[in-house]
Amino acid sequence: MSHIIIFNVKHSNLCRGAHCASEIIPKIQTRNGDVIQMPNMTPKKCPMPVQDADIRNKNFAEVALGYTKEMAVDEAKRCLNCKNKPCVSGCPVQIDIPAFIGKVAEKDFEGAYAVLNASSALPAVCGRVCPQESQCEGKCVRGIKAESVGIGRLERFVADYHREHGEEKPAMPQQNGHKVAVIGSGPSGLTAAGDLAKMGYKVSVYEALHVAGGVLSYGIPEFRLPKAIVQAEVDNLKAIGVDIDTNIVIGKTVTIDELFNMGNEAVFIGSGAGLPRFMGIPGESLKGVYSANEFLTRINLMKAYLPESQTPVQKAENVAIVGGGNVAMDAARCAKRLGAKNVYIVYRRGMEELPARKEEVEHAEEEGIIFKTLTNPVEVLGDENGNVRGMVCVEMTLGEPDASGRRRPVVKEGSEFTLDVDCMVMSIGTSPNPLIRSTTPGLEANKHGCIITNGDDGLTTREAVYAGGDAVTGAATVILAMGAGKQAAKAIDEYIKKM
């Protein structure tokens, strides 16, 4: 069969505003007259419109503004619809990525949402905070010689479109007569609850805080993940029958043994890793030293940036954030929005070794955050009233690789100096709270306090008790926690069916 290739020059005014280039999009016309649209071979993804840096660093509104319909359709047409779907292998919750993107290209946005919703309980969240560059987009064939398809941006667009325009309410699944308890309403808990509810289980989620969402609510700032988005995702789960009980501290209010006595046939622990770590250096007990958890919880959950907040946070002039991950970037950007004149990221390795997402680092730099890399604090200095007045630091060099494969930071002799700060935020990692394991006989944890499981299905050392997410791995990503919740839900279903 012979073909005639037609070249249509296409130019999108909206994409031009976002610095997209003009495109020549070829079509193939078969001898019988059918015209087949070929992929949009523009090498770069359509950029995400954002607030200007000098405006956004003074407000808590969302930085990324989202694609328009035209941008989304143009970007979706960059997908090659690969036969072996390598992008799906990079997705912990196994979304059929080419299928949902194909629906976007056809302007069937509700159809695209149906594909997403079949695999993901939190598409609007994932589209905003998941590290797609190291997962689905990292596997994209387009990324070999050009930029990968903007999978995350399209996921966000579809979820937002559905929230704003979708009229069909989720169907209530038929109940199967079995009950399961889920501890924690973070990404792993919500995912497990959603999947189990869709299978017909009566699921009750127990959350220690007064608001559902876990780290999505207390840990990630409004400017990256608006809390209305989180609440909408929670409401979607309630609509399919999931009960969410807040202000319930498992191990204190009620124990896991008591959950079984209440008729639950299995329990999933998705309680996260909220116990902060400190360096153990002199002066960490001074006023003005925060853990990143406390600092961000006050801001994100308790709205400390509002004048009427009853749980205010210190309004400092010069703030040092110790650490280099996404949490450190969040804390630094929050401090800037609170009015700090100088905000420093103090990190003992170099810029290349920063564990934070490249996009978050770039946004922080644009907003005026100062990066003091190859620097490590050794003491916090206080004034006569016990307030932070400075931080003694040493310069570092990178030596031979350590057990993690990264070059080990080594102190540079004679490099000690004082950084003038009046607030210090420690963002060097977290571990699971010991309350649940200490009140649950037979539930074992490793030396880091993480619950021990037998593998992907999340079964712990206690029968019918499963766990996943940061409670098992330590602090990790939202999507990995979701993947663990999904695997555990499947395992719980198989377990109960065998009873």
Side-chain angles (χ1 to χ4, degrees), residues 55 73 76 80 104 126 180 216-217 234 281 347 358 380 390 498:
I55 295 174
V73 170
L80 300 177
V104 176
C126 288
V180 176
L216 306 176
S217 292
V234 170
I281 60 177
Y347 181 59
K358 181 181 178 183
V380 189
K498 291 178 182 177

Side-chain angles (χ1 to χ4, degrees), residues 300-355:
N300 300 330
L301 193 64
M302 310 306 293
K303 310 299 181 189
Y305 53 89
L306 298 177
E308 65 272 20
S309 174
Q310 295 181 355
T311 56
V313 70
Q314 179 187 359
K315 303 295 195 298
E317 283 286 314
N318 301 290
V319 182
I321 314 295
V322 180
N326 290 326
V327 174
M329 300 304 139
D330 287 344
R333 296 170 70 192
C334 282
K336 191 71 174 178
R337 285 160 170 77
L338 289 172
K341 183 178 179 181
N342 296 303
V343 180
Y344 305 97
I345 288 285
V346 179
Y347 181 59
R348 62 181 184 158
R349 289 184 167 93
M351 291 294 290
E352 293 299 316
E353 288 77 29
L354 282 167

Side-chain angles (χ1 to χ4, degrees), residues 188-433:
S188 65
L190 293 178
T191 299
D195 281 15
L196 287 165
K198 290 174 183 176
M199 297 174 193
Y201 291 91
K202 183 57 184 174
V203 183
S204 294
V205 177
Y206 298 94
E207 168 56 48
L209 296 173
H210 64 285
V211 174
V215 71
L216 306 176
S217 292
Y218 74 77
I220 303 176
E222 186 81 10
F223 56 79
R224 277 217 296 141
L225 179 61
K227 301 306 158 247
I229 300 292
V230 178
Q231 188 57 52
E233 300 281 47
V234 170
D235 289 344
N236 286 338
L237 295 180
K238 290 181 178 179
I240 59 172
V242 175
D243 290 333
I244 297 182
D245 295 321
T246 56
N247 297 309
I248 304 293
V249 181
I250 301 299
K252 198 86 170 174
T253 313
V254 63
T255 66
I256 284 181
D257 286 334
E258 289 170 332
L259 290 178
F260 281 110
N261 292 338
M262 292 160 59
N264 293 291
E265 296 167 73
V267 173
F268 174 76
I269 304 172
S271 51
L275 188 65
R277 294 176 186 161
F278 287 87
M279 294 182 68
I281 60 177
E284 279 186 326
S285 61
L286 289 166
K287 289 181 285 186
V289 177
Y290 293 87
S291 70
N293 258 28
E294 179 189 356
F295 189 71
L296 290 172
T297 298
R298 284 174 177 263
I299 294 168
N300 300 330
L301 193 64
M302 310 306 293
K303 310 299 181 189
Y305 53 89
L306 298 177
E308 65 272 20
S309 174
Q310 295 181 355
T311 56
V313 70
Q314 179 187 359
K315 303 295 195 298
E317 283 286 314
N318 301 290
V319 182
I321 314 295
V322 180
N326 290 326
V327 174
M329 300 304 139
D330 287 344
R333 296 170 70 192
C334 282
K336 191 71 174 178
R337 285 160 170 77
L338 289 172
K341 183 178 179 181
N342 296 303
V343 180
Y344 305 97
I345 288 285
V346 179
Y347 181 59
R348 62 181 184 158
R349 289 184 167 93
M351 291 294 290
E352 293 299 316
E353 288 77 29
L354 282 167
R357 294 182 67 188
K358 181 181 178 183
E359 178 181 76
E360 301 307 320
V361 175
E362 290 173 350
H363 281 171
E365 288 180 308
E366 291 167 0
E367 292 170 11
I369 306 303
I370 302 164
F371 284 75
K372 296 192 77 66
T373 54
L374 294 172
T375 301
N376 204 40
V378 293
E379 183 181 359
V380 189
L381 303 175
D383 62 18
E384 64 277 8
N385 296 315
N387 298 305
V388 174
R389 67 170 179 83
M391 191 169 74
V392 179
C393 301
V394 291
E395 295 179 10
M396 312 292 285
T397 58
L398 295 181
E400 295 300 315
D402 60 17
S404 69
R406 296 188 298 173
R407 293 175 65 190
R408 184 187 301 275
V410 179
V411 176
K412 187 187 295 185
E413 293 297 327
S415 63
E416 189 174 286
F417 69 97
T418 299
L419 186 64
D420 293 329
V421 296
D422 53 351
C423 179
M424 178 181 179
V425 179
M426 300 298 294
S427 181
I428 57 173
T430 55
S431 59
N433 190 301

